[in-house]
Amino acid sequence: MNAGNYVYTASVKGSVSDELVNTYLMRPAAGVLVGFLYRTPVTPNQVTVAAMIAGLVAAILYAQGSPLWTAVAGILISCKDLLDSADGQLARAKGAFSRAGRFLDSLGDITVNFAACAAIAWAFLQGGAGFWVVPAWGAAFLFVSLRVSYHVYYQTSFLHLNNAYTGNRTSEELRGEDLSAGRGTLALQRVFLVLYGWQDRLVARLDNWSREGIGGGTETGRRWYGDVTGVRWSGFIGLGTELLLLTLCSVINHLNLYLYLNLIGMNAVWASCIAYRRVVLRRRLRAVIVPGRPS
């Protein structure tokens, strides 16, 4: 239990680096739930497990293939996202952040995303669609993971730069201090590295390519990772936005539309995020960095 009062502003990461759907919808809604849970024994990790269960039940309903269950599944996906917001907000409000919870949250996300895409592909197959739906929905799952990893990389970098929410790292490769964590936490981290490690390395390489030629000094890094436009733009490919699109397309029973939005629309947004950093921000920083002066 907590003796103090729950303060909503202390439970959120900050509006600049967060997705618009989180700032104006999910975080406030989750704040109501967290305000209720704050004085209870419920832990953030228990909320994370509840989010995972909601997502897996949604996947089971997607597999049924009927318009009604598809709509209900979409609503459950948003419930999963709401709980996903609430677990982190509860952890910050209670000061109960844990490395185990950090990995559990990400593993829950990728598990639900895979289960939902696999279930939808199955429903399409049962409905008479060709085998093309398997690689198509496999690609949808892959691109969601990559886009979200891209967003999280710059969000985490921005937050670290502002000394906020430093529990997450842009790279979760094992460090000396990690080896002293509990066996369960270390096991979760190892699974995380199998599923996400290659994605984080890919995004880091993409980041290095995007900032090619502008150096790696402290001031350059501050300008690069502290760029508000860049971090806000990448918020449009965060998980909350991705799941909102899936919910809306599920409710209107147009999962084909979601597939097109995923593979074409959201990848176009991702490409624009990369282009902004590689072309616009890089050019801007090259113009203000004086050759030979430490940046």
Side-chain angles (χ1 to χ4, degrees):
M1 298 281 187
N2 288 275
N5 294 320
Y6 164 64
V7 179
Y8 171 74
T9 53
S11 73
V12 296
K13 298 177 183 178
S15 60
V16 172
S17 63
D18 212 349
E19 303 168 68
L20 289 178
V21 65
N22 285 343
T23 299
Y24 296 107
L25 179 61
M26 285 300 174
R27 300 291 185 200
V32 175
L33 177 60
V34 172
F36 172 76
L37 297 176
Y38 183 69
R39 293 183 179 276
T40 72
V42 173
T43 67
N45 286 356
Q46 289 170 339
V47 178
T48 301
V49 172
M52 192 185 309
I53 292 171
L56 293 176
V57 171
I60 293 171
L61 297 183
Y62 276 127
Q64 308 310 306
S66 75
L68 174 61
W69 291 128
T70 296
V72 174
I75 294 170
L76 278 175
I77 285 293
S78 275
C79 289
K80 180 266 178 192
D81 193 28
L82 176 67
L83 292 168
D84 219 10
S85 294
D87 62 3
Q89 288 175 230
L90 183 62
R92 288 185 287 275
K94 286 188 172 186
F97 175 86
S98 69
R99 293 285 288 166
R102 179 264 180 277
F103 297 123
L104 183 65
D105 183 74
S106 292
L107 294 176
D109 287 340
I110 201 168
T111 299
V112 169
N113 292 345
F114 175 80
C117 288
I120 295 171
W122 170 260
F124 273 50
L125 284 173
Q126 294 301 106
F131 190 76
W132 65 267
V133 299
V134 175
W137 282 98
F141 162 71
L142 177 62
F143 280 121
V144 166
S145 293
L146 289 173
R147 290 192 299 260
V148 172
S149 291
Y150 183 91
H151 163 65
V152 169
Y153 181 90
Y154 287 108
Q155 181 188 51
T156 301
S157 298
F158 183 89
L159 291 170
H160 280 221
L161 193 64
N162 291 278
N163 297 312
Y165 195 59
T166 57
N168 286 16
R169 305 192 305 235
T170 55
S171 172
E172 293 293 0
E173 296 296 333
L174 285 170
R175 300 179 181 178
E177 63 265 28
D178 296 328
L179 299 177
S180 61
R183 184 176 299 176
T185 300
L186 191 57
L188 288 171
Q189 185 172 2
R190 292 186 188 279
V191 176
F192 175 94
L193 287 173
V194 171
L195 297 176
Y196 284 103
W198 67 274
Q199 297 183 50
D200 292 341
R201 289 189 294 271
L202 179 62
V203 172
R205 288 182 181 181
L206 185 57
D207 176 64
N208 288 334
W209 173 78
S210 296
R211 58 182 292 180
E212 185 179 35
I214 62 170
T218 302
E219 179 60 20
T220 301
R222 186 189 68 79
R223 291 172 180 264
W224 181 262
Y225 295 112
D227 183 76
V228 172
T229 300
V231 76
R232 280 183 169 163
W233 193 246
S234 66
F236 288 107
I237 54 173
L239 185 59
T241 306
E242 302 272 4
L243 295 183
L244 178 63
L245 285 177
L246 178 56
T247 292
L248 293 176
C249 292
S250 300
V251 169
I252 64 174
N253 196 35
H254 278 288
L255 291 176
N256 270 327
L257 173 60
Y258 171 75
L259 188 61
Y260 296 138
L261 289 173
N262 182 311
L263 297 179
I264 300 174
M266 296 301 284
N267 278 334
V269 176
W270 185 20
S272 71
C273 293
I274 297 170
Y276 170 77
R277 288 191 175 272
R278 172 69 182 184
V279 179
V280 179
L281 183 57
R282 177 170 168 263
R283 180 180 299 170
R284 185 187 306 158
L285 294 188
R286 291 182 71 177
V288 299
I289 294 172
V290 179
R293 178 186 296 174
S295 56

mmCIF file of all heavy atoms in Angstrom, residues 211-217 220-221 289 295:
data_model
loop_
_atom_site.group_PDB
_atom_site.id
_atom_site.type_symbol
_atom_site.label_atom_id
_atom_site.label_comp_id
_atom_site.label_asym_id
_atom_site.label_seq_id
_atom_site.Cartn_x
_atom_site.Cartn_y
_atom_site.Cartn_z
ATOM 1 N N ARG A 211 22.978 9.685 -39.272
ATOM 2 C CA ARG A 211 23.757 10.830 -38.768
ATOM 3 C C ARG A 211 25.174 10.839 -39.315
ATOM 4 O O ARG A 211 26.044 11.545 -38.813
ATOM 5 C CB ARG A 211 23.779 10.824 -37.244
ATOM 6 C CG ARG A 211 24.337 9.577 -36.610
ATOM 7 C CD ARG A 211 24.272 9.648 -35.103
ATOM 8 N NE ARG A 211 25.173 10.647 -34.578
ATOM 9 C CZ ARG A 211 25.315 10.919 -33.279
ATOM 10 N NH1 ARG A 211 24.580 10.278 -32.398
ATOM 11 N NH2 ARG A 211 26.153 11.832 -32.872
ATOM 12 N N GLU A 212 25.402 10.090 -40.372
ATOM 13 C CA GLU A 212 26.721 9.992 -40.990
ATOM 14 C C GLU A 212 27.262 11.376 -41.364
ATOM 15 O O GLU A 212 26.577 12.183 -41.990
ATOM 16 C CB GLU A 212 26.625 9.118 -42.247
ATOM 17 C CG GLU A 212 27.944 8.822 -42.922
ATOM 18 C CD GLU A 212 27.748 7.927 -44.129
ATOM 19 O OE1 GLU A 212 26.706 8.069 -44.817
ATOM 20 O OE2 GLU A 212 28.615 7.079 -44.373
ATOM 21 N N GLY A 213 28.494 11.641 -40.949
ATOM 22 C CA GLY A 213 29.147 12.885 -41.336
ATOM 23 C C GLY A 213 28.941 14.054 -40.398
ATOM 24 O O GLY A 213 29.426 15.154 -40.672
ATOM 25 N N ILE A 214 28.240 13.860 -39.280
ATOM 26 C CA ILE A 214 28.042 14.995 -38.365
ATOM 27 C C ILE A 214 28.751 14.787 -37.035
ATOM 28 O O ILE A 214 28.554 15.559 -36.089
ATOM 29 C CB ILE A 214 26.544 15.268 -38.111
ATOM 30 C CG1 ILE A 214 25.862 14.064 -37.437
ATOM 31 C CG2 ILE A 214 25.829 15.643 -39.391
ATOM 32 C CD1 ILE A 214 24.452 14.367 -36.955
ATOM 33 N N GLY A 215 29.569 13.740 -36.935
ATOM 34 C CA GLY A 215 30.353 13.555 -35.715
ATOM 35 C C GLY A 215 29.550 12.934 -34.590
ATOM 36 O O GLY A 215 28.353 12.704 -34.706
ATOM 37 N N GLY A 216 30.236 12.685 -33.490
ATOM 38 C CA GLY A 216 29.587 12.018 -32.365
ATOM 39 C C GLY A 216 29.838 12.689 -31.038
ATOM 40 O O GLY A 216 29.844 12.042 -30.004
ATOM 41 N N GLY A 217 30.096 13.991 -31.066
ATOM 42 C CA GLY A 217 30.367 14.712 -29.834
ATOM 43 C C GLY A 217 29.132 14.909 -28.975
ATOM 44 O O GLY A 217 28.000 14.637 -29.393
ATOM 45 N N THR A 220 26.607 17.493 -30.442
ATOM 46 C CA THR A 220 25.920 16.909 -31.596
ATOM 47 C C THR A 220 24.872 15.904 -31.149
ATOM 48 O O THR A 220 23.747 15.895 -31.643
ATOM 49 C CB THR A 220 26.930 16.215 -32.525
ATOM 50 O OG1 THR A 220 27.901 17.167 -32.962
ATOM 51 C CG2 THR A 220 26.224 15.621 -33.734
ATOM 52 N N GLY A 221 25.252 15.049 -30.179
ATOM 53 C CA GLY A 221 24.297 14.068 -29.660
ATOM 54 C C GLY A 221 23.102 14.722 -29.007
ATOM 55 O O GLY A 221 21.963 14.268 -29.154
ATOM 56 N N ILE A 289 27.679 22.868 -37.366
ATOM 57 C CA ILE A 289 28.896 22.302 -36.795
ATOM 58 C C ILE A 289 30.094 22.853 -37.569
ATOM 59 O O ILE A 289 30.185 22.725 -38.789
ATOM 60 C CB ILE A 289 28.882 20.768 -36.877
ATOM 61 C CG1 ILE A 289 27.772 20.202 -35.982
ATOM 62 C CG2 ILE A 289 30.225 20.196 -36.441
ATOM 63 C CD1 ILE A 289 27.572 18.716 -36.146
ATOM 64 N N SER A 295 32.471 18.855 -31.182
ATOM 65 C CA SER A 295 31.014 19.025 -31.171
ATOM 66 C C SER A 295 30.378 18.207 -30.078
ATOM 67 O O SER A 295 29.180 18.193 -29.947
ATOM 68 C CB SER A 295 30.425 18.596 -32.522
ATOM 69 O OG SER A 295 30.792 17.281 -32.820
#
